[in-house]
């Protein structure tokens, strides 16, 4: 088991050690895992080339660190608790033994379907235990999984499958989300039409929707699992072999396939999980994130299972059958650590206190948040009404690319401050730099958040495009990893994340590039061009405001085009990327060189209609007045 820090002085001591001797520090943590062969060297790195390697030439299989390492002591302990969408349906509990069996079985099936070490397997599934089983089965045989969030459209799914060159897709007939049924297989079918690389689709029966099974390509999960059973030797992998690809958005239109490798990711997710949440033996841990995002990968599946924890997977949504669902689950399973997103808290807070009636919440010890800045009001509501003033809140800052938590309190150890992610985790060296890249030393400073030294959990590349990896993260500031976030370090040295400083927006914890949404809008035949910005939204954190230029409107008028834009965005990306506000304008505020001045649009989206600063570089300054009038009309 990885060591657990349990006092503030312990944190200060370990942090110092991790900074003065990072390789010695991480080697000690790594020693607590099971390696088939230990490393020849702990770390080599060159931020100029974006080249980072941890635990060189070490050999292992991550699933042996989940199963073989734990089975002897905790084979009968529950590994996964699954709470179905409908609270009246039966819970599933899988012990480490049972999970091991299922992972082996599915690993054998993947092998039988021709999946070899290094092949990519795409996964497009609802939140069911089989999703975690598929990921672990891939890891067992050395295949690279690429989970695509089930809210993505057929087009987005196809783009990701093609980019990764996945040979096999694991999906389901449908999925439940509250009162809705999602036709997952139908969406997958549409995606597969354009993916020549996918030779096989394994389909789990979840909703019993009628689906078409394409002969020679589609096979039922239950047919395969009826035929095969047994164990499979874990494939021996290099520490730097890829474990998975996970797509995320950046400031350009094309999503990036972030690649995480096995050894470093394993060490980092397990160590952060144990220390940030202060997970102890027998605790029940519940993270409400979807496995389709990095939080689900690192803190629903890998971190907890590597720690021998009991992790709760919830299929449904926080507001169904009613807004007390999370709290009902906490009481039902006596959850000890609960990890969620600020947007979920804000939406529950807005639905009123009555959903807390009759809920005890006495089992809770630690509360966590992730994905976006948490406002003070939501923080206090969480602290007072959910944590009953007894549970520390860990506001965890990190990213898909960082693999694991980077800045966060250790629960109950580092004193918290509302809306502050507080202090860096072991081995993390934050650097705050100004626009010119000068590091701002000392306290009470604000600027761009960078990380000055490698950590084991960091992404190693972008699938198929290392140059893009280098350019995106390592070229803005010399010798630093640039996060894209703004940050403040206050008088006590505490970090507060201020949000993105690039063209990335964060809507209900979903990260997207403004360019991605613009591309989807521009697909509309009547749209000439568009510009998308984020604006403060009471529940979602940020809402999407789209400024759209159309030369003409069809018979449906503005309303007609607005609706078909929304349909189009759902089709190209997914419903979660639909703009909250669409305003039709005659033109966009552009400089003479053709660059859109987004600052002006952001001001207008925020309802600030005057004081635009210097607008003399604009090609047509009058356009601003016209946009203001149009935006005011929209309200
Ligand atoms: C971006 C990363 C990390 C898993 C979920 C999101 C924002 C994340 C916090 C936080 C303020 C946060 C940042 C970051 N973010 N956590 N605790 N406080 N902002 O992963 O989709 O890769 O997004 O989310 O802007 O850059 P992601």
């Amino acid at each position: 088991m990885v060591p657990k820090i349990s006092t503030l002085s312990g944190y200060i001591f370990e942090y110092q050690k991790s900074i003065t001797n990072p390789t010695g520090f991480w080697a000690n943590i790594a020693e607590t895992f099971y390696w088939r062969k230990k490393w020849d060297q702990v770390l080599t790195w060159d931020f100029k080339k974006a080249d980072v390697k941890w635990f060189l030439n070490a050999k292992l299989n991550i699933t042996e660190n989940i199963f073989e390492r734990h089975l002897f002591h905790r084979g009968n302990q529950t590994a996964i608790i699954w709470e179905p969408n409908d609270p009246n349906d039966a819970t599933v509990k899988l012990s480490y033994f049972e999970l091991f069996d299922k992972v082996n079985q599915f690993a054998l099936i993947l092998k039988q379907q021709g999946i070899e070490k290094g092949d990519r397997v795409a996964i497009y599934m609802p939140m069911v235990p089989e999703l975690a089983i598929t990921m672990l089965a891939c890891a067992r045989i050395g295949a690279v999984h690429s989970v695509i969030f089930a809210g993505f459209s057929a087009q987005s799914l196809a783009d990701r499958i093609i980019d990764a060159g996945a040979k096999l897709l694991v999906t389901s007939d449908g999925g439940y989300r509250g009162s809705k049924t999602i036709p997952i297989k139908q969406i997958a079918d549409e995606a597969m039409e354009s993916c020549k690389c996918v030779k096989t689709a394994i389909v789990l029966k979840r909703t019993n929707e009628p689906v078409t099974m394409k002969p020679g390509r589609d096979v039922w999960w239950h047919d395969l699992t009826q035929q095969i059973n047994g164990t499979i030797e874990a494939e021996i992998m290099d520490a730097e072999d890829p474990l998975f690809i996970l797509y995320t958005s950046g400031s350009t239109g094309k999503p990036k396939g972030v690649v995480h490798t096995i050894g470093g990711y394993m060490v980092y997710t397990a160590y952060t999980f144990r220390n940030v949440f202060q997970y102890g033996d027998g605790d029940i841990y519940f993270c409400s994130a979807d496995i389709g995002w990095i939080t689900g990968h690192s803190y629903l599946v890998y971190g907890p299972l590597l720690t021998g924890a009991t992790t709760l997977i919830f299929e449904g949504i926080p507001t169904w059958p009613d807004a007390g669902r999370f709290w009902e689950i906490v009481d039902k399973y006596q959850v000890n650590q609960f990890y969620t997103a600020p947007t979920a808290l804000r939406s529950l807070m807005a639905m009123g206190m009555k959903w807390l009636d009759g809920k005890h919440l006495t089992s809770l010890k630690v509360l966590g948040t992730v994905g976006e800045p948490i406002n003070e009001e939501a923080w206090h509501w969480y602290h007072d009404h959910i944590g009953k003033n007894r549970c520390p809140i860990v506001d965890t800052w990190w990213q898909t690319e960082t693999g694991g938590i980077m800045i966060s309190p250790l629960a109950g150890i580092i004193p918290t401050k509302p809306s502050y992610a507080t202090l860096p985790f072991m081995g993390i060296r934050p650097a705050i730099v100004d626009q010119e890249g000068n590091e701002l030393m000392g306290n009470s400073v604000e600027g761009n958040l960078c990380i000055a030294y490698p950590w084991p959990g960091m992404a190693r590349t972008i699938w198929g495009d290392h140059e893009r990896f280098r350019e995106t993260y390592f070229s803005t500031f010399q010798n630093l990893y640039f996060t894209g976030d703004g940050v403040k370090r206050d008088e006590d040295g505490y970090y507060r994340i201020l949000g993105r400083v690039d063209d990335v927006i964060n809507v209900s914890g979903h990260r997207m590039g403004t360019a991605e949404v613009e591309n989807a809008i521009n697909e509309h035949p009547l749209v000439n061009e568009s510009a998308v910005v984020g604006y403060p939204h009471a529940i979602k954190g940020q809402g999407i405001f789209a400024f759209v230029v159309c030369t003409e409107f069809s018979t449906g008028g503005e309303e007609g085009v607005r609706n078909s834009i929304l349909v189009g965005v759902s089709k190209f990306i997914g419903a979660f990327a639909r703009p909250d506000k669409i305003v039709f304008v005659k033109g966009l505020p552009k400089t003479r060189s053709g660059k859109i001045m987004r600052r002006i649009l952001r001001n207008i989206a925020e309802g600030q209609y005057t004081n635009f600063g210097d607008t003399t570089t604009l090609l047509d300054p009058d356009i601003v007045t016209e946009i203001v009038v149009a935006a005011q009309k929209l309200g």
Side-chain angles (χ1 to χ4, degrees), residues 74-347:
R74 49 178 101 240
N76 292 316
Q77 185 203 304
T78 304
I80 291 178
I81 300 176
W82 179 67
E83 166 74 4
N85 180 61
D86 187 330
N88 299 314
D89 285 351
T91 298
V92 171
K93 285 189 181 169
L94 296 174
S95 68
Y96 273 85
F97 271 135
E98 290 164 328
L99 183 62
F100 184 54
D101 269 354
K102 289 185 185 293
V103 168
N104 270 292
Q105 180 186 44
F106 204 65
L108 283 167
I109 289 170
L110 290 175
K111 272 270 178 191
Q112 189 201 42
Q113 297 296 326
I115 298 302
E116 296 292 331
K117 173 175 177 171
D119 286 345
R120 276 79 59 209
V121 171
I123 307 176
Y124 187 66
M125 287 177 105
M127 286 280 284
V128 289
E130 288 81 356
L131 168 48
I133 290 166
T134 305
M135 294 161 76
L136 298 173
C138 289
R140 187 87 181 161
I141 62 170
V144 180
H145 59 71
S146 169
V147 182
I148 297 109
F149 171 59
F152 275 116
S153 66
Q155 179 73 51
S156 294
L157 173 60
D159 290 347
R160 286 159 178 74
I161 290 176
I162 293 167
D163 186 82
K167 267 184 162 171
L168 186 141
L169 173 70
V170 184
T171 186
S172 71
D173 53 354
Y176 295 118
R177 265 184 76 75
S179 58
K180 285 194 214 133
T181 309
I182 316 291
I184 296 197
K185 177 62 164 53
Q186 201 184 307
I187 302 169
D189 283 340
E190 202 186 317
M192 283 187 286
E193 297 264 293
S194 55
C195 306
K196 285 196 194 68
C197 52
V198 174
K199 303 288 180 243
T200 313
I202 301 179
V203 188
L204 178 82
K205 206 171 238 200
R206 171 66 191 116
T207 57
N208 284 309
E209 304 285 280
V211 295
T212 12
M213 297 290 280
K214 187 171 168 180
R217 186 194 67 190
D218 300 351
V219 270
W220 286 108
W221 177 292
H222 59 261
D223 284 344
L224 296 170
T225 48
Q226 261 158 31
Q227 294 158 16
I228 290 193
N229 244 323
T231 52
I232 180 166
E233 235 358 87
E235 188 77 38
I236 298 173
M237 306 296 290
D238 191 273
E240 282 296 337
D241 280 336
L243 176 63
F244 65 83
I245 306 172
L246 185 61
Y247 286 84
T248 190
S249 299
S251 39
T252 62
K254 192 174 179 281
K256 298 179 285 229
V258 172
V259 177
H260 283 285
T261 58
I262 301 168
Y265 179 82
M266 170 181 81
V267 169
Y268 198 72
T269 52
Y271 186 56
T272 48
F273 172 74
R274 182 143 159 91
N275 281 284
V276 170
F277 297 102
Q278 290 288 298
Y279 185 88
D281 255 347
D283 283 347
I284 310 288
Y285 165 85
F286 172 22
C287 164
S288 77
D290 196 286
I291 295 179
W293 308 112
I294 192 70
T295 308
H297 280 60
S298 301
Y299 297 113
L300 238 165
V301 179
Y302 287 109
L305 294 178
L306 285 162
T307 308
T310 300
T311 179
L312 193 157
I313 300 179
F314 171 42
E315 185 184 34
I317 57 170
T319 48
W320 192 83
D322 62 50
R325 187 68 191 276
F326 276 168
W327 323 129
E328 184 191 307
I329 296 173
V330 168
D331 281 352
K332 181 170 172 187
Y333 300 102
Q334 294 291 293
V335 168
N336 303 112
Q337 289 91 3
F338 176 61
Y339 192 28
T340 196
T343 186
L345 295 173
R346 286 190 297 263
S347 70

Side-chain angles (χ1 to χ4, degrees), residues 343-399:
T343 186
L345 295 173
R346 286 190 297 263
S347 70
L348 296 176
M349 186 169 81
M351 297 184 84
M353 292 300 294
K354 73 168 180 183
W355 305 109
L356 285 166
D357 285 352
K359 308 292 193 297
H360 301 291
L361 305 178
T362 44
S363 57
L364 288 172
K365 295 196 281 200
V366 174
L367 301 174
T369 72
V370 60
E372 37 170 339
I374 182 164
N375 48 312
E376 292 207 21
E377 194 191 356
W379 195 96
H380 284 293
W381 186 81
Y382 201 25
H383 191 259
D384 298 353
H385 300 295
I386 305 305
K388 315 278 188 204
N389 295 307
R390 7 167 235 99
C391 304
I393 295 179
V394 292
D395 175 351
T396 63
W397 173 82
W398 58 296
Q399 310 179 296

Side-chain angles (χ1 to χ4, degrees), residues 507 535 537 540 542-546 566 577-582:
V507 181
Y535 71 99
H537 187 287
K540 298 177 173 187
Q542 276 190 303
I544 304 180
F545 202 121
L566 293 177
R578 280 184 308 206
D580 299 276
K581 293 185 179 181
I582 297 176

